[in-house]
Amino acid sequence: MTQIQAPQRRIAPTALVGAVLAVCAALVLSGCAEPRQEPAPNYPSAPDQRLPEAAAPAAEPEPGQPWVPIAELADEAWLEAVSERTGIPPRALAAYTGAALLVSKTRPECGLGWNTLAGIGQVESQHGTYAGAQVESDGQVSPAIIGLPLDGAPGLAEIPDTDGGTLDGDPEWDRAVGPMQFIPATWALYAQDGSRSGVSDPHQFDDAALTAAVYLCESGGDLTSDEGWVAAVVAYNQSAVYVNDVAGHAQDYVSPGEPSAADSSY
């Protein structure tokens, strides 16, 4: 979410009609063409959605009891092999895969794969390693990754502070925070506790990955479809270049024969 685009300025329908009529009057001898349409964004097809091999599946908790930490859900041998194949840090991979496994149980209609979360994590923060940051063994990213002030500069939205600087340290403008780069207002709506610590922290990878998973499912519906996947990632960042970058990384991470999210029985 570091490259959120400023909203386009809309013209009121009455003003648009008046402008078109004025042009028609000026061009009465040559006719009046339709207003020029901007080309549709070149969005990609949805990458294959994949799930990791799960450790022994945990039983659904009793009402009122917490799920296990999501970093414990994926099989350790699988994590080691895929981390070596893809270059994704093991602790970040555990967060992506655990989040995908959990939402496959709580939101089976979503079809979110771990590789989509990893694609976003690569583009947003290089899997929590941007600018020398590291993912600690407990999932905390240190030093904290904090984006540019969203002050309306070219290519950035204008979002005055919404959290008193609590998450991003900036009391004037909001900034995207953490390895999955949430703006504070979005975090306030969707924050999850993937680490089961009792708090939701955007700088903790399990919390950030599970929040991203929930946000994507809420935004796109069925992420195994092209339309659903694109809608989900566009909600994360309204840039066709961004969406294509995420799709490219997500597809590159896929291994032949890996279970698909749509067919999971976890």
Side-chain angles (χ1 to χ4, degrees), residues 36-147:
R36 182 172 179 267
Q37 300 292 320
E38 292 296 325
N42 183 24
Y43 288 128
S45 299
D48 297 332
Q49 299 297 289
R50 299 301 175 92
L51 285 178
E53 293 181 18
E60 188 167 341
E62 295 296 326
Q65 298 300 310
W67 293 84
V68 299
I70 65 170
E72 298 177 11
L73 294 180
D75 179 76
E76 290 187 8
W78 183 93
L79 288 171
E80 182 178 351
V82 174
S83 176
E84 183 176 352
R85 174 174 63 81
T86 62
I88 300 173
R91 190 60 185 77
L93 184 60
Y96 300 141
T97 56
L101 282 168
L102 184 58
V103 297
S104 77
K105 183 141 185 112
T106 60
R107 297 166 181 260
E109 73 286 352
C110 177
L112 172 66
W114 71 267
N115 52 312
T116 286
L117 291 170
I120 290 174
Q122 166 61 37
V123 175
E124 294 288 358
S125 71
Q126 298 169 15
H127 307 303
T129 65
Y130 178 75
Q134 292 185 331
V135 187
E136 306 293 346
S137 60
D138 62 357
Q140 204 70 26
V141 176
S142 180
I145 299 174
I146 298 177

Side-chain angles (χ1 to χ4, degrees), residues 5 40-44 234 237-246:
Q5 300 296 310
N42 183 24
Y43 288 128
V234 165
N237 189 307
Q238 299 174 26
S239 162
V241 172
Y242 177 92
V243 176
N244 277 276
D245 284 348
V246 170

Side-chain angles (χ1 to χ4, degrees), residues 142-200:
S142 180
I145 299 174
I146 298 177
L148 298 171
L150 298 175
D151 56 4
L156 298 174
E158 183 175 332
I159 307 179
D161 174 67
T162 61
D163 70 332
T166 300
L167 296 178
D168 56 16
D170 188 338
E172 184 177 4
W173 301 101
D174 270 353
R175 298 171 181 244
V177 294
M180 302 303 279
Q181 288 289 278
F182 278 97
I183 59 175
T186 305
W187 184 261
L189 291 174
Y190 293 95
Q192 303 290 312
D193 179 15
S195 63
R196 309 312 183 205
S197 65
V199 296
S200 299

Side-chain angles (χ1 to χ4, degrees), residues 178-237:
M180 302 303 279
Q181 288 289 278
F182 278 97
I183 59 175
T186 305
W187 184 261
L189 291 174
Y190 293 95
Q192 303 290 312
D193 179 15
S195 63
R196 309 312 183 205
S197 65
V199 296
S200 299
D201 180 359
H203 302 289
Q204 204 283 336
F205 224 126
D206 304 328
D207 296 357
L210 185 56
T211 301
V214 169
Y215 181 67
L216 290 167
C217 290
E218 288 281 344
S219 301
D222 178 6
L223 269 63
T224 64
S225 70
D226 294 344
E227 296 81 3
W229 190 89
V230 168
V233 181
V234 165
Y236 217 98
N237 189 307

